[in-house]
């Protein structure tokens, strides 16, 4: 067995770096590298195979094999020993290569005479570039040190490839990772199509110096960075007293990892072999990733995210690169992130053309913000972060839940046609703008829009909405770092009403809690925040902010009519208390000599089933009721609106749910209480039609839905549809969807 020392490895890395720093074509460099490695490892053969496309590897340089086979010998992913290394991301080390399962004989390379084979992946985090192989005649397994040493060399090669060292005019297609089209299939978060360029929410740290000259100095840097990392985690843990259990558990895992001796030892060894501290961190990240990705254990695979996050933090500490890398936001950014909160998304605002998330959920408020901003959103696009680079061209198909990264020109052209067709459809809807949503039987449904940003208001006119059925006031609170001042809010509400002109705006008071966490609010440690201290519950328990907001609304109205509704009312007493508080503020403002609204309408949002069964007096006391279908449905079926596993199990057109809605409609009608429906279902044409057929007089939805919903209502006969729904229900159907869609098919 040939012993290799640390100094052998360091000197090889230095020679490699020097070779890569000298001018010359990519091929020339690769040839010199294979020669250097074979020489240093004392093997007869060293070869570099790189991905030609995601499924094919190509021999790109060799020392020892037949030079004629370079750029000719190719193999599929998984084929032969090289293909096995590429597929698994794990080394293959054997003293008797021809006896290995899957061994592929390649006569053109003259390979049969080499008995021992060691192949290691050339990879960066989440990104496979190729395979580095050494072979020798004598039948022996390579030692652990040799395997390790070759992995370190492969790490340096990966960095160099990434830097474009091999990619020049004369590149023969080398260094092709991150250059191929990739398609991701996710889930629709918000419909619509967008074309743009990638903007990573948390950009990858770039390692520019994979080789370390002074191992002691590198080790010291690593030690200091790890200490800083440990301190960061301690700080996070200290601030986490009020966090939910799961969040704390993640931090505890981080703490364990950050103190892991094994992790530190492996990175120190990499440094000893000649890597810089940051390259050592990245090597460990890649190796662990390749190992964990193969694991059948779901828990372990989920730990990948923790490991990535921790490694990235360490890399940021070492390189001093913050999230702000100085890269410029492209003019048509498509945001890519693991997940994002509503406040962060609002910060980007309408600048974004599209959003693609690896996680996320349809019912989340980030999705609602995307909808409010009319930004196409695809969620559950697995691995998109590892594949995408800042600035890559990207197409987001929100309708199909599909994302095309670096698309082929033919795909891009077809996509542009689709965007043009959608624009055409919007134009057709625009022609309906001034027309009422009157069906074939002469009934007119009032269509309103949901809003939450000042920027939404221009859509009011363009969309043809009769008013704003739901103005989500929390969005202003979410975008700031402190509680907004009363005067700021009053000025904003005034502007909203100015923009709406004579159309009514229904302001909903602050609805926070659940997934809408204000950055300046102490997080609550609640086992189930959706059913916890949220919305009006917070408003009544801590009346300061609610009072301030009510005053701002009264002042912003400047004597004009005002409509206010309270979110998440579960009992009449909550409504009465909130209403009394508003009336008190009206009296106070009047007593101070201020102008108060000439007409005040006070409503409740019906979002919990309990309220549907409230006594008659409650319905009489409300000027209007707005059904918050998103929350109502989640509590009706006991299915978390943010949990993709259960969210889709239950249909809005389920007979039980529609019967419940019908009862609410009847109770409001009997008491002369105005009624609207403002959940997301109001903006889905089929659902909207069914709700209208059941007698819902007003639907409030995102502006882009008004055209399609109006179009459908005008073609339909709501009286006929109602009969069809009732008959299907009487016949015992659990879902009324088949009956509704059959009716639509014959329209
Ligand atoms: C709802 O629950 O339907 C609703 C409109 O409120 P939000 O989605 O903001 O909770
Ligand atoms: Mg709600």
């Amino acid at each position: 067995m040939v012993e290799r020392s640390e100094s052998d490895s360091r000197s090889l890395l230095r020679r490699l770096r020097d070779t890569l720093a000298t001018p010359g074509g990519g091929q020339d460099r690769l040839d010199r590298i294979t020669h250097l490695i074979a020489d240093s490892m004392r093997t007869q053969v060293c070869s570099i195979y790189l991905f030609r496309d995601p499924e094919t590897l190509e021999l790109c340089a060799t020392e020892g094999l037949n030079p004629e086979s370079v750029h000719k010998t190719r193999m599929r992913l998984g084929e032969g020993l090289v293909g096995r290394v590429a597929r698994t991301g794990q080394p293959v080390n054997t003293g008797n290569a021809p006896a290995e399962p899957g061994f592929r004989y390649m006569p053109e390379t003259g390979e049969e005479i080499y008995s021992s084979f060691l192949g290691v992946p050339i990879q960066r985090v989440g990104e496979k570039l190729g395979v580095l192989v050494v072979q020798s005649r004598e039948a022996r397994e390579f030692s652990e040190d040799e395997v390790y040493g070759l992995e370190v060399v492969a790490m340096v090669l990966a960095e160099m490839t990434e830097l474009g060292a091999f990619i020049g005019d004369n590149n023969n297609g080398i260094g092709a990772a991150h250059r191929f089209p990739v398609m991701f299939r996710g889930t629709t978060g918000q419909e619509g199509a967008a074309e743009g360029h990638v903007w990573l929410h948390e950009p990858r740290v770039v390692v520019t110096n994979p080789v370390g000259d002074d191992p002691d100095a590198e080790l010291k840097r690593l030690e200091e960075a790890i200490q800083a990392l440990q301190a960061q985690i301690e700080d996070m843990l200290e601030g986490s007293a009020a966090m939910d259990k799961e969040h704390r558990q993640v931090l505890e895992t981080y703490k364990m990892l950050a103190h892991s001796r094994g992790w530190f030892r492996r990175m120190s060894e990499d440094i000893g072999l000649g890597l810089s501290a940051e390259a050592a961190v990245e090597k460990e990240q890649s190796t662990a990733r390749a190992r964990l990705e193969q694991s059948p254990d779901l828990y372990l695979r989920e730990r990948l995210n923790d490991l990535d996050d921790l490694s990235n933090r360490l890399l940021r500490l070492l390189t001093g690169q913050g999230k702000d890398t100085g890269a410029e936001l492209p003019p048509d950014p498509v945001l890519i992130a693991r997940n994002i909160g509503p406040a962060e998304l609002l910060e980007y605002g309408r600048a974004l053309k599209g959003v693609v998330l690896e996680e996320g959920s349809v019912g989340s408020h980030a999705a609602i913000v995307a909808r409010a901003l009319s930004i196409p959103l695809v969620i559950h696009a697995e691995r998109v972060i590892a594949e995408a680079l800042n600035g890559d061209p990207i197409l987001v198909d929100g309708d199909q839940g599909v994302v095309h990264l670096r698309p082929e020109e033919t795909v891009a052209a077809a996509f542009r046609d689709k965007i043009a067709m959608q624009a055409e459809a919007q134009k057709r809807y625009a022609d309906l703008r001034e027309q009422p949503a009157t069906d074939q039987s002469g009934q007119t449904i009032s269509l309103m829009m949901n809003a939450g940003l000042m920027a939404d208001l221009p859509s009011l006119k363009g969309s043809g909405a009769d008013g704003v059925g739901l103005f989500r006031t929390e969005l202003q609170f979410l975008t700031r770092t402190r509680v907004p001042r009363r005067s700021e809010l009053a000025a904003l509400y005034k502007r909203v009403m100015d923009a709406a002109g004579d159309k009514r705006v229904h302001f909903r008071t602050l609805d926070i809690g659940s997934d809408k966490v204000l950055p300046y609010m102490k997080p609550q440690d609640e086992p189930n925040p959706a059913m916890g201290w949220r919305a009006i519950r917070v408003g009544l328990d801590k009346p300061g902010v609610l009072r301030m907001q009510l005053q701002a609304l009264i002042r912003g109205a400047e004597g004009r009519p005002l409509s206010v509704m309270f979110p998440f009312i579960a009992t009449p007493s909550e409504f009465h208390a909130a209403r009394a508080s508003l009336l008190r503020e009206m009296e106070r403002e009047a007593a101070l000599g201020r102008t108060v609204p000439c007409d005040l309408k006070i409503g409740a949002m019906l979002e919990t089933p309990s309220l549907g069964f409230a006594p008659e007096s409650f319905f009489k006391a409300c000027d209007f009721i707005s059904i918050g279908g998103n929350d109502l449905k989640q509590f009706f079926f006991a299915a978390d609106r943010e949990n993709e596993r259960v969210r889709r199990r239950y249909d809005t057109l389920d007979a039980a749910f529609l019967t419940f809605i019908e009862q609410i409609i009847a109770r409001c009608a009997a008491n002369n209480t105005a009624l609207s429906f403002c959940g997301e279902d109001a903006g889905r044409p089929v659902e909207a039609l069914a709700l209208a057929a059941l007698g819902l007089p007003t639907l409030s939805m995102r502006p882009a839905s008004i055209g399609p919903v109006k179009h459908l209502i005008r073609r339909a006969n709501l009286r006929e549809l109602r009969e069809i729904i009732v008959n299907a229900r009487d016949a015992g159907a659990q879902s009324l969807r088949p009956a509704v869609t059959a009716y639509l098919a014959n329209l």
Side-chain angles (χ1 to χ4, degrees), residues 365 368 470 472 474 508 511 516 534 605 607 627-632 641 678-680:
H365 284 93
I368 285 173
L470 163 67
R472 290 184 164 101
E474 57 277 4
R508 170 174 80 183
D511 182 5
K516 287 180 274 194
R534 56 174 287 202
M605 282 192 74
E607 305 190 88
I627 298 177
N630 306 335
D631 275 313
L632 184 62
R641 63 193 260 188
C678 68
E680 298 301 314

Side-chain angles (χ1 to χ4, degrees), residues 330-394:
D332 47 8
V334 170
L335 184 84
I336 303 227
R338 194 172 303 289
N339 214 342
I340 191 160
E344 283 176 301
L345 195 51
L346 275 166
E347 250 172 64
Y348 285 104
R350 279 180 208 277
L352 298 177
K353 284 275 173 278
V355 178
V356 181
L357 302 179
E358 286 203 351
E359 295 171 2
S361 68
V362 173
S364 72
H365 284 93
I368 285 173
V369 169
R371 251 164 258 150
L373 298 172
S374 293
I375 301 173
L377 165 69
V378 171
I379 58 173
H380 296 172
E382 273 180 42
R383 291 193 50 77
V384 66
I385 296 175
E387 286 287 349
L389 293 180
N390 261 343
D392 276 346
I394 186 168

